[in-house]
Amino acid sequence: MSQHELNLQSSEPQKPLSMNPKKFAFWLFLVTVLMIFAALTSAYIVRRADGGWLEFQLPSIFWLNSVIIVVSSITMQLAYFAAKKDSLEKTKLYLLITSLLGLAFLVGQFYAWGDLVEIKVFFGGKGSNPSGSFLYVLTGLHGLHLISAVIFLWVVFAQSFKYKVHSKSMLVIECCTTYWHFLGGLWIYLFGFLLLNH
Amino acid sequence: MSVAESHLHDHHDDHEHDHHDLPWIKKYVFSEDHKVIAKQYLISGIIWAIIGGGLSLLFRLQLAYPDANFDWLKPLLGGWIQNGKLDPEFYLALVTMHGTIMVFFVLTAGLSGTFSNFLIPLQIGARDMASGFLNMLSYWFFFVSGVIMLCSLFIETGPAGGGWTVYPPLSALPQAISGSGLGMTLWLISMALFIVSTLLGGLNYITTVINLRTNGMSFLRMPLTIWAFFITAIIGLLSFPVLFSAALLLIFDRTFGTSFFLSDIYIAGQALSFEGGSPVLFQHLFWFLGHPEVYIVLLPALGITSEIVATNSRKPIFGYKAMIGSMLAIAFLSFIVWAHHMFISGMNPFLGSIFMFLTLIIAVPSAVKAFNYITTLWRGNIIFTPAMLFSIGLVSFFISGGLTGIVLGNSAADIQLHDTYFVVAHFHIVMGSASFFGMLAGVYHWFPKMFGRMMDEKLGYVHFWITFIGVYMVFFPMHYIGIAGFPRRYYSFTGFDFTQSFTDLTQIITIAAIVTFAAQFIFLFNFFFSIFKGRRATENPWRSNTLEWTTPVEPGHGNWPGAIPTVYRWAYDYSKPGAEDDFIPQNVPFSETKGSNFPHENEQMVAEAESIHGK
Ligand code: HEM
Ligand SMILES: [Cu+2]
């Protein structure tokens, strides 16, 4: 009987997608995040085409932040590779560096808001313009997601101390890596978008 | 049956199967079993339908009898009745709540939540959803969202009153209307939670359909119900985040003084500080969700109908692949037609004609579906179960409401018809009634699997005929009123001369609405009575092909006591020439139906045999 089972399973046109359901659901979650930002950037374009748009210089610290987040993506990937090779000490180290870089990025974004206030670009209230408000919303929402990613990193970090992250148990760190790259990519997209549409 | 019964699937490794020792609260309240969650959605949906329907009767009374004394409603509405009259702002709140509740809570959560949850695992041959926990979370987000919406009905300033589409500036400025105060805040919170619930649900449906199908259940063997739920979930996943963004920006406008949607507004001679916003932007964002949403509401009902019509015509569904294709086409097109709701928003007329063109294309896949239903019915051995009647009713509504859609889709005609009762008639027939009928059909059809008992057929027939005639009595006259120019969402028409001659018609509509609403209590009685006292069902009372009917009368946790059946054929082998029975379930291999196999199926049979005995 069990022989039959095995054979049938291989001959039936089944399970074309052998992706882990949890991982798959996680990817779908990323799609919803992507749609939120797609909606906001489209709204930005539509609104900007209407005129009455306040033009201002983007804070130059965005450049530095972009470099930080790209580097953090590299260290994240290194952590992933290290886990795959079961070098757990390295994994921990890279996870730590990544989360610190993530925090540095967040601090940098906060400074960027300070710069904006300095040149009198406000989120709301009298004298605010949608062009500024959009910038706050885009960076703020991205920042919120990044905070969740940092917390996720810490969860993985904590798990790595309990020997739950290694070459045979990669799901969590894999999702975390994906999320991190996704948010990094998302920032690069947003920054490029803002540079082009300003 | 050795092959069909052979054990191909091990239980999910990460799943607890003996539910007997679970505490009561995890079994019936915070359950992770998809069947229990489906019933939770169903009961919630029913409660919301009663509330939402009841609200509509209140404003229908006002419309038909503007001069009557409504003091008798005071026990229910309290201060909203002043000097025997319904408060005009509360009228708007009633309309808004009716729309929101019906579209989102009844026809989105109640319909998809019930049937996607119940049928996806059962029909694709899975023990449960991909993540029972997320599924439970999805229901409880919906529950909390509902509680908040319900609370907003009872606050002093009243619930949101800007229409279910909550256009700013009306919805953004508490000074504009009392409902835009706390009521609107609660509306936004509730909807944000609702969106989270829908996304969690949708995520689960998609993942389950893609990853957990049983052996042999290829995409082209999936029942059309599953296709419909699957496509619905994808549409939801892509469009609800956009509504979320719109709601977020609206929240910022309301509380942080941004001006995304507001500009140059004077209230009572006072200039507000908002500058540079665009209310049309909100309409774009809203309808980018709003139009796909109407298909989120309709597609599951269409899927349910496909299944019921094929089963009860004892015929294969006509054009299975065309059905899938047209659903995919509808899903795709639904994302690029949203501006047909905005023809007179001041949009560029050239852009309008592009959207008109795209909109009219949707009529093609819609017509394909309608024709396929009719050709499936054509010369079938039709069995008129209540479920079948409601499905046929759906097809009728889909056609008559779709036709008026084509009228509205012409941007020139829409100048006259926009925001009149013609639009109200259109969408209540094609969306409201059609989806509602799909939901009722689904309940009648799958009741035996849900509760192990049958609903009473006679009561079902009475319920159907009153509801079917009632719906047309309510919504058909609205076309004329709309063409005559009655605007929607007006508290009273008696101020205009031209409207006087239609008073009789509005009264007929209201009376028909009351009768139709009352008829739903026949259903409610039948439903709750049959849960406890109905005739006991058999495993497969409708002699149907899909996998859920291979489970025990009342499937337990994990759905199949033994192994999950393997699938060898599509779901529509009804009345196959040469077959012993007029149905062949999906889990019967071709080797057992030699008399009725087509040549290519015989080839498949050889492959089956080789795979078993080959080694
Ligand atoms: C042949 C297909 C259809 C076409 C061409 C069509 C076209 C339209 C147009 C142009 C409008 C805007 C009318 C106005 O506000 O002036 C409209 C409104 C509406 N349609 Fe359709 N429609 C079609 C099918 C459907 C279906 C299948 C549904 C739902 C299942 C639906 C639901 C709605 C709703 C809910 C509204 C009104 C929303 C509101 O303003 O509150 N339509 N339709
Ligand atoms: Cu539409």
Side-chain angles (χ1 to χ4, degrees):
Chain A
M1 193 58 166
S2 63
Q3 287 281 2
H4 296 174
E5 287 167 27
L6 281 178
N7 275 316
L8 245 182
Q9 224 150 13
S10 53
S11 72
E12 279 286 342
Q14 232 312 277
K15 308 269 140 119
L17 264 163
S18 53
M19 201 164 181
N20 179 310
K22 291 203 175 93
K23 196 161 109 192
F24 190 83
F26 187 77
W27 277 81
L28 291 180
F29 162 71
L30 297 187
V31 172
T32 66
V33 177
L34 193 67
M35 282 310 293
I36 291 183
F37 283 92
L40 289 172
T41 46
S42 319
Y44 184 104
I45 294 175
V46 170
R47 173 58 199 81
R48 183 166 178 264
D50 272 359
W53 189 254
L54 181 73
E55 298 290 352
F56 56 88
Q57 279 285 315
L58 287 177
S60 48
I61 196 169
F62 278 167
W63 288 101
L64 179 63
N65 293 347
S66 304
V67 173
I68 293 178
I69 207 159
V70 169
V71 174
S72 78
S73 252
I74 297 173
T75 56
M76 184 76 231
Q77 192 61 35
L78 289 175
Y80 174 81
F81 285 146
K84 215 168 179 180
K85 289 203 200 93
D86 282 327
S87 26
L88 299 188
E89 289 313 309
K90 265 195 193 158
T91 311
K92 285 177 206 160
L93 181 69
Y94 283 129
L95 284 175
L96 190 66
I97 297 175
T98 311
S99 75
L100 290 179
L101 286 171
L103 288 177
F105 174 84
L106 286 168
V107 173
Q109 294 293 78
F110 195 71
Y111 271 101
W113 284 7
D115 290 353
L116 287 173
V117 172
E118 211 121 277
I119 56 168
K120 298 215 173 346
V121 173
F122 301 118
F123 174 48
K126 223 175 163 45
S128 70
N129 183 281
S131 78
S133 310
F134 265 117
L135 188 56
Y136 282 100
V137 171
L138 290 174
T139 50
L141 265 187
H142 178 264
L144 270 182
H145 282 93
L146 206 89
I147 291 175
S148 74
V150 170
I151 294 173
F152 193 2
L153 257 181
W154 286 338
V155 171
V156 181
F157 190 57
Q159 288 195 351
S160 68
F161 278 92
K162 296 184 200 142
Y163 301 101
K164 282 188 183 160
V165 179
H166 50 79
S167 60
K168 300 243 158 46
S169 160
M170 293 291 288
L171 179 65
V172 177
I173 193 171
E174 200 181 328
C175 285
C176 189
T177 311
T178 312
Y179 195 32
W180 199 267
H181 291 331
F182 172 78
L183 290 180
L186 184 61
W187 169 251
I188 299 299
Y189 159 70
L190 288 176
F191 188 35
F193 174 86
L194 289 168
L195 284 174
L196 285 175
N197 295 288
H198 222 78
Chain B
M1 285 294 279
S2 66
V3 181
E5 282 165 8
S6 69
H7 297 203
L8 293 157
H9 246 247
D10 288 319
H11 293 192
H12 286 200
D13 4 78
D14 55 351
H15 226 275
E16 179 60 57
H17 274 282
D18 291 303
H19 240 195
H20 310 292
D21 43 1
L22 276 178
W24 180 86
I25 191 148
K26 284 217 85 177
K27 215 164 163 182
Y28 297 110
V29 183
F30 296 106
S31 170
E32 295 186 11
D33 185 312
H34 71 102
K35 298 183 291 300
V36 178
I37 296 175
K39 288 176 201 169
Q40 289 173 329
Y41 268 111
L42 179 58
I43 304 283
S44 315
I46 288 176
I47 293 171
W48 277 115
I50 298 170
I51 299 174
L55 296 180
S56 77
L57 292 192
L58 293 176
F59 61 72
R60 275 305 331 169
L61 279 175
Q62 160 66 31
L63 284 174
Y65 305 101
D67 303 323
N69 186 321
F70 289 124
D71 271 336
W72 56 278
L73 281 170
K74 261 206 150 146
L76 182 65
L77 299 180
W80 297 114
I81 306 274
Q82 294 280 337
N83 307 323
K85 294 265 167 278
L86 192 71
D87 181 84
E89 288 199 357
F90 192 64
Y91 173 87
L92 295 176
L94 285 174
V95 178
T96 305
M97 283 294 115
H98 166 72
T100 307
I101 289 171
M102 287 308 199
V103 172
F104 292 111
F105 291 181
V106 179
L107 295 178
T108 304
L111 183 61
S112 274
T114 304
F115 291 103
S116 296
N117 267 319
F118 191 74
L119 292 179
I120 287 179
L122 281 171
Q123 289 198 334
I124 65 169
R127 301 244 176 240
D128 205 319
M129 283 287 173
S131 166
F133 177 72
L134 287 187
N135 211 12
M136 175 190 77
L137 218 56
S138 160
Y139 175 75
W140 288 102
F141 265 103
F142 165 57
F143 185 84
V144 174
S145 140
V147 169
I148 293 174
M149 195 64 86
L150 191 67
C151 288
S152 83
L153 279 167
F154 297 102
I155 60 178
E156 201 181 341
T157 47
W164 78 281
T165 55
V166 294
Y167 284 179
L170 186 57
S171 64
L173 302 168
Q175 308 95 304
I177 174 178
S178 69
S180 294
L182 181 60
M184 189 60 208
T185 306
L186 292 177
W187 192 96
L188 286 166
I189 297 173
S190 167
M191 283 312 294
L193 295 175
F194 182 84
I195 292 169
V196 174
S197 154
T198 312
L199 291 177
L200 286 175
L203 220 119
N204 233 331
Y205 307 150
I206 299 174
T207 309
T208 308
V209 170
I210 290 199
N211 289 291
L212 298 185
R213 279 165 293 133
T214 183
N215 280 32
M217 181 63 86
S218 59
F219 271 102
L220 287 183
R221 284 180 185 167
M222 286 196 320
L224 287 172
T225 31
I226 301 302
W227 269 104
F229 300 149
F230 179 58
I231 295 172
T232 303
I234 294 175
I235 302 179
L237 203 75
L238 294 177
S239 63
F240 269 107
V242 178
L243 180 66
F244 193 80
S245 309
L248 198 68
L249 297 186
L250 189 55
I251 290 174
F252 290 148
D253 273 7
R254 288 167 52 83
T255 40
F256 297 105
T258 56
S259 351
F260 290 109
F261 306 130
L262 304 171
S263 189
D264 306 320
I265 295 169
Y266 294 81
I267 289 192
Q270 285 277 322
L272 303 185
S273 70
F274 300 104
E275 231 173 275
S278 154
V280 176
L281 179 60
F282 181 86
Q283 296 193 20
H284 280 298
L285 288 174
F286 182 88
W287 286 114
F288 189 85
L289 157 96
H291 187 82
E293 167 66 18
V294 306
Y295 284 100
I296 291 175
V297 163
L298 188 67
L299 281 180
L302 290 177
I304 288 171
T305 298
S306 307
E307 192 58 34
I308 295 174
V309 164
T311 303
N312 291 297
S313 301
R314 313 310 292 167
K315 269 181 67 185
I317 190 88
F318 187 88
Y320 172 76
K321 283 188 188 161
M323 287 296 226
I324 299 171
S326 51
M327 279 197 280
L328 289 170
I330 286 175
F332 172 72
L333 288 170
S334 75
F335 282 103
I336 48 173
V337 299
W338 76 90
H340 64 215
H341 297 272
M342 302 165 57
F343 282 143
I344 63 155
S345 67
M347 186 175 68
N348 181 336
F350 177 69
L351 199 61
S353 54
I354 292 175
F355 274 104
M356 172 177 120
F357 175 69
L358 293 169
T359 298
L360 294 181
I361 295 180
I362 284 211
V364 177
S366 307
V368 169
K369 291 198 74 79
F371 282 125
N372 283 355
Y373 289 128
I374 295 168
T375 28
T376 306
L377 288 165
W378 183 253
R379 296 197 160 179
N381 294 319
I382 299 181
I383 304 170
F384 288 104
T385 63
M388 182 66 164
L389 287 173
F390 276 99
S391 299
I392 296 174
L394 179 151
V395 176
S396 159
F397 294 145
F398 185 50
I399 295 171
S400 51
L403 281 176
T404 52
I406 297 173
V407 176
L408 290 170
N410 291 280
S411 53
D414 193 51
I415 295 172
Q416 157 76 7
L417 296 172
H418 177 68
D419 264 355
T420 68
Y421 270 82
F422 193 87
V423 177
V424 177
H426 159 66
F427 72 75
H428 276 90
I429 291 182
V430 75
M431 174 169 91
S433 306
S435 305
F436 192 62
F437 268 44
M439 194 165 157
L440 288 170
V443 174
Y444 278 108
H445 193 74
W446 279 285
F447 191 89
K449 213 24 76 179
M450 286 184 175
F451 299 103
R453 292 171 186 270
M454 312 292 285
M455 287 178 79
D456 186 79
E457 301 221 328
K458 294 225 173 57
L459 287 178
Y461 296 142
V462 176
H463 174 218
F464 169 76
W465 283 109
I466 300 181
T467 312
F468 183 70
I469 296 170
V471 162
Y472 271 123
M473 293 265 289
V474 172
F475 296 116
F476 212 80
M478 287 189 188
H479 292 114
Y480 301 113
I481 302 182
I483 293 170
F486 273 53
R488 64 196 277 210
R489 294 182 180 140
Y490 270 35
Y491 167 71
S492 164
F493 297 108
T494 38
F496 312 101
D497 270 349
F498 82 95
T499 58
Q500 302 289 355
S501 55
F502 290 98
T503 316
D504 296 351
L505 213 48
T506 52
Q507 288 173 355
I508 291 175
I509 292 177
T510 297
I511 293 167
I514 293 172
V515 172
T516 314
F517 184 75
Q520 305 317 304
F521 287 90
I522 303 174
F523 168 78
L524 286 179
F525 170 76
N526 195 353
F527 182 82
F528 286 108
F529 183 82
S530 305
I531 289 180
F532 302 104
K533 293 269 155 67
R535 224 169 358 105
R536 288 226 174 260
T538 52
E539 273 174 22
N540 189 358
W542 316 120
R543 297 156 59 78
S544 181
N545 284 344
T546 37
L547 286 185
E548 75 272 29
W549 306 107
T550 64
T551 61
V553 176
E554 278 186 90
H557 193 64
N559 296 341
W560 285 267
I564 297 179
T566 299
V567 163
Y568 295 93
R569 56 179 78 232
W570 73 336
Y572 300 102
D573 270 345
Y574 290 106
S575 304
K576 206 174 179 188
E580 289 163 25
D581 253 327
D582 70 345
F583 72 112
I584 311 175
Q586 281 191 281
N587 62 335
V588 176
F590 291 118
S591 51
E592 290 178 21
T593 55
K594 292 209 175 82
S596 65
N597 288 354
F598 296 122
H600 70 274
E601 290 170 342
N602 278 325
E603 282 162 30
Q604 242 166 312
M605 183 180 76
V606 175
E608 260 169 30
E610 273 170 7
S611 70
I612 294 168
H613 303 294
K615 175 69 198 164

